[in-house]
Amino acid sequence: MTRKGQLTVQRKAIFDVVMDSPDHPSAADIIDRLKERGYSFAYGTIYNSLRYLTDAGLIRELKLEGDASRYDARVEDHQHIVCRVCGKVEEVFTTLSPEWLRAVAEETGFTVEEEHILFKGVCPACKERNK
């Protein structure tokens, strides 16, 4: 795994944007935020850097709703919940039951190495608006 101190200027700037983001930004969001910080990198550089940072385990790529990947600075095990109304994504840190994981392995014959569960629902703000 690469250490953050060994990153190129471009990768460090992209890493910093993801780390500073209170949400789970898409590549397009990251490009906009880089421009706000005065950076102008080629799209290929940004996408290649995101792949590098993901492969190095420094950030996490999320394939949630739609076709755009989103990026998460939190790399420890956790799940996500997405609002089906506004698209807001939140983190879920409730531990998955070992019995459930064992049952999945028994049903499928797979050895479960990692899990990513996507919950869907309506966030409190959208619920309130729809009352």
Side-chain angles (χ1 to χ4, degrees):
M1 182 189 297
T2 300
R3 293 197 324 217
K4 293 172 240 172
Q6 298 171 329
L7 297 176
T8 63
V9 170
Q10 295 88 344
R11 290 174 180 165
K12 175 80 169 89
I14 292 164
F15 176 77
D16 288 345
V17 166
V18 175
M19 290 299 292
D20 294 343
S21 295
D23 56 357
H24 298 80
S26 66
D29 296 328
I30 293 167
I31 290 167
D32 291 342
R33 293 171 193 181
L34 285 166
K35 287 179 184 173
E36 290 170 3
R37 294 179 181 203
Y39 294 105
S40 181
F41 303 139
Y43 286 172
T45 299
I46 293 167
Y47 285 100
N48 289 336
S49 295
L50 288 168
R51 172 64 36 224
Y52 176 88
L53 294 168
T54 300
D55 290 348
L58 296 173
I59 63 173
R60 190 174 184 186
E61 181 179 14
L62 307 175
K63 295 180 189 278
L64 304 175
E65 297 291 292
D67 42 339
S69 290
R70 304 198 46 192
Y71 295 89
D72 192 350
R74 299 188 84 157
V75 294
E76 68 272 18
D77 284 341
H78 65 282
Q79 312 312 317
H80 292 89
I81 187 164
V82 63
C83 178
R84 62 177 178 75
V85 177
C86 70
K88 179 180 182 178
V89 179
E90 293 281 336
E91 286 149 331
V92 177
F93 290 97
T94 303
T95 305
L96 294 175
S97 157
E99 293 80 24
W100 187 79
L101 293 173
R102 198 170 17 261
V104 168
E106 286 175 14
E107 179 181 324
T108 63
F110 278 64
T111 299
V112 178
E113 296 175 344
E114 72 178 77
E115 66 280 339
H116 185 241
I117 310 293
L118 177 63
F119 299 95
K120 298 178 186 178
V122 179
C123 72
C126 289
K127 211 172 359 180
E128 186 64 31
R129 274 195 298 275
N130 290 331
K131 280 187 176 181

